[in-house]
């Protein structure tokens, strides 16, 4: 065991998988010599050479198309997109090809491909560097969407993503890249995709969250405890496909639920979670399932960022609306 | 080397067999007699299969179909120049090239009938499925060939696409990455003068499409796309270069789409009969036929047999495709992921339930 | 008054607006000489010339970037994307610029731009020609999304869209382009964006739908009547922003709701509607709000299309689940 | 005509004022004395403002900032060559060009401090806001200039972008559409050798970036980007051509990014001191200074005054930007649509409520 933060865990998972399987290739802008703008790929070029750690020209469409072509030809590429705000360039190849090749060819051609994207606000970055548009991906049948929230989960989930036979969008909560340190096993391990993590059991209300929001919700939980509200916290880990069982079992127990996410509210993943709960557990509900989320606006620049990201106060306010319904 | 010599900026276009059947014997590629026969058979088969597909669409027996008439030389000539390990990333109109590469004709019909099973080519068929978003196969194929290079495999990827596709963003990425990483790729632009109703001249102000390669740091060459000897020779050279590690080539094959864009199109709305007539005089099959005549390969009997054989193959393929049972409902669901997740299972169940009632 | 179908109404609205305002420009692939692959722009080139009706090179990204640049420079471009399956190319400019220029410049620069896209399945077209991925757009703050379902609405809504100060994605239900004919006023008229249409009042259950699904739901309504189920049908018309009031008022009355859409279920607009109802009208609900939608798969080719599109039977099945809850 | 003569395929690169201060008098543009002085003032102001921004970032007073050092000639020279009605679509590093075009310096600081109000330029300022997605301003600017043409206005759009941006899909669309529609556009590629850590040679295999224009049917020209006379002359010619209806031009200005990519970058990770030193010898300001010296414009006193003036302007601008109150909360909400829809109102209320507690 050794102590690592999230960005180091990304690096470790990449390194281990590259050692284990020489089909694993890392590519993207500045991932080689520079080790990635967040240093996620540091040391990989030195260890694996420039046939496996590849600095590309500046085109996200090209990176993903290239990686997808590689995946079709038997490699296991892990592409990096520098920021979520540049991810819209890749949607065409993801929707039209990565998500569909297996179906289009009735199983003959597949796309085992990972796309890593740092996402989310909170680091006072320029415009387009703070987005949380995961719902663009969760609505695409045929791909998986994964978000870790701790160093340990990061390594295990990324390892699973790399070994997964389908295309995985791996979103990294960059705001907490270096905020949490944790003992994580030296040896390789996987954490299954599609399974949520029970962060904390509780009896009064289920709070569903992921990524950087998990820590905020943990703080909320402490605050709420002071007012005798006992929160159950679910960290989704995989946003698509959803872990229905964990969500529904919890809501059936608590009778109340809140979804917290950084993305704008309208048509965010929160909507799907509310719809799912409504469909499967309506009679268990003592109050509406609410969402505390980013607003339906562009993520503000530094001076406004904190208004946008769900704060402890806003989440508490949402909680109380549900509890006092 | 043809590719170095035929500089598109100097207005050079490679032609070996001209409209009147004259051969430039210096450049004439050496093709064995049995291959010449094969090539002709594929040309005829492509045309007959194409006419059949068109007719079937008119009878409502297949869906929208993009006719290939006029493209026989570029499709068959390029595919014939490829080696066993090479891969084709075809454009939707590429039935001829796909046949040469081993895609069964009945599957092609099945696909255009609207059955995904037509896209599951037999194992060992080195053909990527048709990519409908124009140009998207270009960057994908680049990635595929890049992997061949990284794996140190001797395999070239040939990617075909139209003149319209040169405007696609994937053209830019495909060629730019290929240049940077010196991938073993042959970019075959089938310039048939039209992208639906948009003429070549409105697609790009570039004088030739071949010269676009200059901006990516490798060679482009223009070739008479109705001259199968030229197409074959230049593709072979490009494939050899790629195999030797000399990187990608852009080939612009100048040809013409003789038919409508698809069966849903009416080309008379936007182009003249006169233009079509002009190109009729350059027919790729007629030209190759006269070449075979000069080689004492072609004669009337040979023609009759070739046609008969092709017609039989086409009839058989149609029969087979039409005899295919409709896809199993589960097939629409079970290939979305490697394993079917709970929600898709639920949706499948819901559908089945509704069909029972 | 004269009888017209939907595609003719598109054409009429374009023609009228081009006559009224010479800043209105039509551009796209094959919109000029060919009059559009569905003939939506037929006759416009002849009437307005090739400075206002422009055949473009084959790039949706280029078309929309070009149109957006034009809009910034004072024109009122109406761009056509040939099929919804090619719309992913435009997301970057829509998300990063069209939806945000007003906010980025605090009101100085705006993007009054319309993008017309035929969408939906049911015409036995090739792959990528049958998509309903409207939820990619409804989740983007700053743009509007409009879908007509009748010839009369088509003309009025498209006219409003062209005059709107924000970017409007105008989705046309191509399956019914020629299926419905209707008397529509010769003179110009507008139908306000953001307001749903009450197609039919009813007391037992609210069905919310749009586009080509409205007709299917009308058939369902007739079937349901035979079993004494009285449906209230809401045609949303504008998918973003949603007409909350019409939806909530109806559900408060009927106590039950069903959403029908062609898009895949997960993270489709239906999820947002369910979440909205849950949030605003939970106590009125006698049963879960269900969704009958396309499945979370690629739209099948011709032979499977009918399994995918919500059928009368599937919708009835959904209705009964709610009624018998 | 410079643009016709300096063919990038012939390895020609325009230079008028060389590293040692020698002038090619045949090509020397005629610039009035007062403009020469203005140009120098803007160069100095840009550099001082740039250094200030860097320092402010290190003190935590502004956010991430992309230094322009080394780009003074290309930014000021090109902006000076534009006419009153022309528009600039800048790249993020373009503070110098933006200043020349009339963007107040305090707004530029305000923007990098993370305040959207810094992006509301005064009416009449013909500058598009900075587009962060690399290259996206290229196709947008093309559309803007296309509209100028359609409206028959005499106005040219100058779009600047980096070497990395030539790989962007919007480069392809911007140039291809511009070629087809002969838009009045000047594409100014600021080739500073690096795209963060990716060197120019790995961005494209094309020998020059200027030659990429050939694939779009118009002229490209390479110019010494540290030579402000050359930049000015070639931009002026390109602007004039565009105004006359001769369509677009691609200018590749060869220069160097002297600083880190942004304040968040550490360039020593990927490039050598030696390389930087080499370019230090080509400093654009020093070079122009010696030119002004030869014209008897520059002297020590002039330098002192110029610097003092610039420093005062910078200090004032910083003061003004820092005195700006934080944006009103409603401002983050009310510009999403022309009218605020119900759900955004609700969200604003919810936020306000949470801030009250
Ligand atoms: C991205 C995209 N946009 C639009 C279309 C519709 N479309 C299908 S084929 C075609 C024209 C293609 O022209 P070209 O590349 O020259 O190939 P050709 O059909 O002439 O063989 C268009 C616009 C599409 N399939 N994909
Ligand atoms: C689409 C996109 N991808 C990635 C980035 C991150 N990024 C910002 S600047 C930059 C390099 C740009 O290089 P170049 O175009 O040469 O301009 P320079 O910074 O050298 O002036 C990158 C990769 C971005 N802003 N946009
Ligand atoms: Mg064509
Ligand atoms: Mg650069």
């Amino acid at each position: 065991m050794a102590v690592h933060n999230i960005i180091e865990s990304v690096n470790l998972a990449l390194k281990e998988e590259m050692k284990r399987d020489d089909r694993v290739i890392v590519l993207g802008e500045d991932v080689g010599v520079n080790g990635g703008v967040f240093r996620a790929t540091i040391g990989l070029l030195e260890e694996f050479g420039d046939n496996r750690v590849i600095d590309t020209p500046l085109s996200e469409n090209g990176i993903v198309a290239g990686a997808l072509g590689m995946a079709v030809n038997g490699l296991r590429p892990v592409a990096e997109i520098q920021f979520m705000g540049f991810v819209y360039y890749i949607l065409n190849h993801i929707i039209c090809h990565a998500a569909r090749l297996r179906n289009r060819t009735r199983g003959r051609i597949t796309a085992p491909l990972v796309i890593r994207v740092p996402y989310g606000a909170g680091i006072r970055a320029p415009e387009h560097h703070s987005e949380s548009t995961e719902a663009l991906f969760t609505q695409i049948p045929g791909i998986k969407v994964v978000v870790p929230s701790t160093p340990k989960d990061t390594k295990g989930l990324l390892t699973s993503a790399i070994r997964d036979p389908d295309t995985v969008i791996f979103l990294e909560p960059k705001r907490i890249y270096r905020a949490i340190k944790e003992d994580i096993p030296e040896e390789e391990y996987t954490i299954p995709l599609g399974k949520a993590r029970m962060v904390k059991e509780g009896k009064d209300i289920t709070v569903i969250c992921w990524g950087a929001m998990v820590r905020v919700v943990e703080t909320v939980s402490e605050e709420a405890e002071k007012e005798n509200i006992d929160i159950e916290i679910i960290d989704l880990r995989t946003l698509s496909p959803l872990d229905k069982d964990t969500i529904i079992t919890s809501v059936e127990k608590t009778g109340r639920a809140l979804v917290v996410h950084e993305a704008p509210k309208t048509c965010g993943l929160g909507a799907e979670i509310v719809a799912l709960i409504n469909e499967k557990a309506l009679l268990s509900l003592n109050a509406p399932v609410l969402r505390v989320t980013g607003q339906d606006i562009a993520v503000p620049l530094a001076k406004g960022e904190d208004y946008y990201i769900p704060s402890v106060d806003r989440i508490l306010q949402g909680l109380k609306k549900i509890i006092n319904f | 080397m043809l590719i170095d010599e035929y500089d598109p900026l100097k207005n050079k276009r490679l032609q070996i067999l001209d409209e009147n059947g004259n051969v430039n014997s210096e450049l004439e590629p050496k093709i064995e007699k049995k291959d010449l026969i094969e090539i002709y058979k594929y040309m005829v088969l492509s045309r007959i299969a194409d006419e059949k597909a068109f007719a079937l669409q008119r009878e409502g027996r297949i869906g929208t179909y993009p006719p290939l008439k006029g493209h026989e030389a570029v499709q068959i000539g390029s595919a014939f120049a490829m080696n066993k390990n090479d891969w084709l990333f075809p454009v939707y109109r590429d039935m001829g090239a796909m046949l040469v590469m081993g895609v069964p004709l009945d599957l092609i019909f099945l696909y255009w009938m609207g059955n995904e099973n037509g896209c599951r080519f037999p194992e060992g068929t080195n053909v990527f499925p048709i990519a409908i978003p124009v140009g998207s196969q270009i960057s994908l194929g680049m990635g595929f060939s890049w992997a061949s290079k990284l794996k140190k495999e001797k395999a070239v990827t040939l990617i075909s696409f139209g003149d319209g596709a040169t405007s696609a963003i994937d053209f830019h990425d495909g060629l730019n990455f290929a240049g940077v990483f010196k991938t073993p790729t042959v970019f075959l632009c089938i310039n048939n003068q039209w992208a639906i109703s948009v003429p070549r001249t409105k697609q790009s102000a570039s004088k030739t499409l071949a010269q676009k390669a200059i901006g990516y740091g490798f060679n482009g060459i223009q070739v008479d796309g109705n001259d199968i000897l030229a197409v074959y020779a230049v593709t072979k050279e490009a494939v050899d270069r790629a195999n030797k590690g000399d990187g990608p080539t852009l080939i612009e094959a100048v040809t013409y789409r003789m038919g409508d864009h698809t069966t849903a199109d009416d080309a008379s709305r936007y182009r003249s009969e006169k233009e079509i007539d002009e190109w009729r005089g350059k027919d790729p099959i007629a030209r190759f036929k006269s070449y075979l005549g000069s080689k004492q390969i072609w004669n009337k009997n040979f023609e009759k047999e070739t046609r008969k054989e092709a017609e039989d193959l086409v009839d058989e393929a149609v029969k087979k495709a039409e005899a295919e049972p409709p896809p199993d409902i589960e097939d629409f669901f079970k290939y979305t992921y490697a394993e079917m997740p709970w929600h898709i299972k639920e949706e499948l169940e819901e559908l089945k339930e509704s069909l029972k009632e």
Side-chain angles (χ1 to χ4, degrees), chain A, chain B:
Chain A
M1 303 277 264
V3 169
H4 292 289
N5 62 26
I6 288 182
I7 194 82
E8 288 162 358
S9 294
V10 169
N11 188 262
L12 284 175
L14 291 172
K15 208 173 281 181
E16 276 171 16
E17 287 306 292
M18 290 184 82
K19 259 190 223 151
R20 205 183 63 91
D21 182 350
D22 60 17
R23 298 172 305 169
V24 178
I25 301 274
V26 162
L27 72 163
E29 296 155 14
D30 307 292
V31 298
V33 183
N34 200 30
V37 289
F38 288 106
R39 310 285 177 256
T41 53
I42 206 159
L44 299 182
L45 176 67
E46 292 74 4
E47 186 163 349
F48 301 103
D50 65 2
N51 261 350
R52 297 192 55 205
V53 183
I54 307 176
D55 277 325
T56 66
L58 206 166
S59 173
E60 287 73 15
N61 181 65
I63 292 167
V64 167
L68 181 49
M70 286 180 182
V72 170
N73 199 354
L75 296 180
R76 292 277 182 157
V78 182
E80 174 178 308
I81 301 298
Q82 270 179 4
F83 289 93
M84 191 88 179
F86 313 132
V87 94
Y88 317 122
Y89 291 101
I90 79 168
L91 282 165
N92 191 62
H93 275 292
I94 296 297
I95 298 178
C96 291
H97 296 305
R100 295 178 172 206
L101 275 172
R102 181 191 298 280
N103 179 64
R104 180 177 304 145
T105 62
R106 290 296 188 251
R108 186 178 166 231
I109 290 182
T110 61
L113 169 72
V114 176
I115 296 163
R116 296 181 36 246
V117 196
Y119 89 103
I123 64 162
R124 307 282 182 259
E127 202 189 346
H128 303 289
H129 288 67
S130 307
E131 336 241 319
S132 302
T133 38
E134 64 269 9
L136 290 169
F137 292 97
T138 54
Q139 75 178 261
I140 305 171
I143 61 168
K144 295 176 182 166
V145 182
V146 175
V147 184
S149 72
T150 68
K152 185 157 171 236
D153 275 15
T154 299
K155 189 173 143 185
L157 289 168
L158 183 52
T159 303
S160 295
I162 294 172
R163 298 182 190 177
D164 197 86
D166 294 307
T167 295
V168 179
I169 310 291
F170 193 82
L171 302 177
E172 300 169 3
K174 65 172 180 297
R175 182 189 182 189
I176 54 169
Y177 259 160
R178 298 184 165 81
I180 316 173
K181 283 178 192 276
E182 194 179 16
D183 252 346
I184 72 172
E186 302 279 349
E187 65 283 3
E188 55 158 338
Y189 59 91
T190 58
I191 293 178
L193 306 189
K195 291 263 166 275
R197 176 170 70 100
M198 182 59 70
V199 179
K200 172 189 171 295
E201 298 198 24
K203 62 178 188 358
D204 295 327
I205 179 166
T206 304
V207 180
I208 298 149
C209 53
W210 54 90
M213 286 299 104
V214 176
R215 260 167 58 104
V216 182
V217 171
E218 285 175 308
T219 307
V220 167
S221 173
E222 286 161 26
E223 290 296 314
E225 234 164 75
K226 296 179 196 159
E227 311 190 30
N228 278 320
I229 306 174
D230 183 15
I231 300 183
E232 175 143 315
I233 307 176
I234 295 175
D235 169 8
L236 278 186
R237 275 181 174 163
T238 296
L239 309 191
S240 176
L242 282 173
D243 180 355
K244 177 196 57 169
D245 293 339
T246 301
I247 297 171
I248 298 305
T249 307
S250 172
V251 176
E252 281 170 351
K253 180 179 80 178
T254 62
R256 294 181 182 84
L258 173 72
V259 187
V260 177
H261 63 59
E262 270 186 71
K265 183 176 184 185
T266 300
C267 290
L269 182 60
E272 180 60 37
I273 295 169
V274 179
L276 181 70
I277 294 172
N278 161 92
E279 188 177 324
K280 308 287 181 198
L282 183 72
L283 294 186
S284 307
L285 285 181
N286 299 317
V289 184
L290 297 188
R291 294 171 280 171
V292 174
T293 67
Q295 300 95 355
D296 287 298
I297 60 176
V299 186
L301 297 184
K303 304 245 184 233
E305 220 177 10
D306 291 340
Y307 297 131
Y308 175 85
I309 306 171
S311 63
V312 170
D313 284 343
R314 275 176 63 208
I315 300 170
L316 272 172
Q317 174 176 298
L319 270 182
K320 287 183 195 158
K321 265 190 206 147
I322 299 173
I323 298 283
N324 302 329
F325 182 76
Chain B
M1 294 279 82
L2 301 169
I3 291 170
D4 293 319
E5 201 180 310
Y6 282 77
D7 182 349
L9 291 181
K10 297 196 180 119
N11 283 320
K12 287 197 174 183
R13 181 186 296 175
L14 177 68
Q15 191 185 55
I16 298 177
L17 175 64
D18 78 8
E19 284 85 344
N20 307 314
N22 304 316
V23 182
N24 179 334
S25 50
E26 258 175 61
L27 300 180
E28 186 182 356
K30 271 152 242 357
I31 305 177
E32 281 182 42
K33 185 177 162 185
K34 77 170 201 333
D35 287 336
L36 290 174
I37 293 174
E38 275 279 278
I39 287 174
Y40 189 69
K41 284 188 172 176
Y42 272 111
M43 289 178 97
V44 171
L45 176 62
S46 303
R47 183 158 297 179
I48 291 177
D50 187 56
E51 285 164 355
K52 186 65 174 192
F54 188 86
L56 289 174
Q57 194 280 336
R58 287 297 185 254
E59 293 167 23
R61 289 160 69 191
I62 71 170
T64 308
Y65 169 80
L68 67 83
K69 192 169 178 177
H71 290 209
E72 293 87 352
V74 58
Q75 291 189 15
I76 313 295
S78 60
F80 244 86
M82 291 165 72
N83 302 308
K84 210 175 155 324
N85 286 332
D86 297 344
W87 270 73
L88 172 69
F89 276 59
V91 67
Y92 41 80
R93 208 181 292 291
D94 258 349
M95 174 158 66
M98 290 166 76
L99 289 172
V100 175
M101 296 297 290
V103 180
L105 181 56
D106 58 292
L107 287 190
I108 300 181
F109 285 135
L110 195 62
Y111 175 74
W112 294 114
M113 284 170 183
N115 185 328
E116 285 84 352
N117 287 325
C119 226
R120 178 169 51 196
F121 307 150
E123 276 318 312
T125 315
N126 290 355
V127 179
F128 193 73
I130 285 172
I132 299 280
V134 166
S136 58
Q137 74 274 23
I138 305 176
S139 53
L140 285 177
M142 174 280 297
F144 189 93
S145 65
W146 191 2
S148 297
K149 180 175 173 174
L150 294 174
K151 295 192 290 176
K152 304 195 167 54
E153 288 171 1
K154 259 209 167 357
V156 174
T157 305
L158 186 140
I159 307 165
S160 67
F161 52 90
D163 44 311
T166 61
S167 297
I169 61 171
D170 288 299
F171 174 85
H172 188 56
D173 281 326
L175 273 73
N176 194 42
F177 277 59
V180 170
F181 298 107
K182 267 201 152 187
T183 59
T185 325
V186 180
F187 297 100
L188 177 64
C189 176
I190 304 179
N191 170 7
N192 64 7
Q193 313 306 326
W194 292 92
I196 308 186
S197 74
V198 178
R200 158 63 191 85
T201 47
K202 285 193 176 174
Q203 200 61 244
S204 175
S206 184
K207 229 175 120 193
T208 68
L209 298 175
Q211 78 197 52
K212 285 179 181 278
I214 295 169
Y216 303 106
F218 54 88
N219 283 105
I221 179 169
Q222 222 187 33
V223 57
D224 179 344
N226 284 11
D227 167 3
I228 196 165
L229 298 184
V231 170
Y232 173 83
V234 77
T235 310
K236 199 158 184 41
E237 191 177 308
V239 167
D240 289 347
R241 283 165 86 119
N243 258 326
K244 274 192 312 207
D246 291 344
T249 307
L250 170 63
I251 301 172
E252 175 190 359
V254 181
T255 181
Y256 196 77
R257 191 192 81 210
M258 296 302 293
D260 294 333
H261 170 68
T262 66
T263 48
D265 177 51
D266 171 10
S268 73
R269 294 181 57 82
Y270 52 79
R271 64 185 195 181
S272 69
E273 263 307 314
K274 190 165 148 278
E275 185 180 289
I276 303 171
D277 273 345
E278 263 167 43
W279 282 92
R280 214 168 265 134
K282 304 180 186 178
D283 185 71
I285 301 191
R287 216 189 288 184
F288 190 59
K289 189 195 288 190
S290 82
Y291 178 72
L292 292 190
S294 73
K295 295 256 169 201
Q296 269 78 49
I297 292 172
W298 187 89
N299 57 43
K300 281 201 175 148
N301 207 35
F302 172 77
E303 178 74 14
K304 227 173 92 185
E305 277 169 23
T306 306
R307 288 195 66 88
K308 174 76 173 68
E309 196 183 315
E311 279 160 8
D312 289 349
L313 285 172
V314 170
D315 287 344
E316 219 174 283
V318 173
K319 245 186 238 148
K320 196 162 169 206
E322 291 195 327
E324 173 90 4
D328 192 10
I329 293 183
E330 306 215 353
D331 282 358
F332 296 109
F333 292 78
K334 77 177 179 208
Y335 296 105
T336 305
Y337 294 92
E339 270 181 65
M340 208 189 287
W342 66 268
H343 64 289
I344 299 186
K345 276 186 203 149
E346 262 191 28
E347 290 167 357
L348 173 58
E349 285 317 308
E350 187 229 309
L351 172 63
K352 282 186 179 166
E353 197 186 315
S354 81
L355 294 172
K356 259 188 245 146
E357 282 167 19

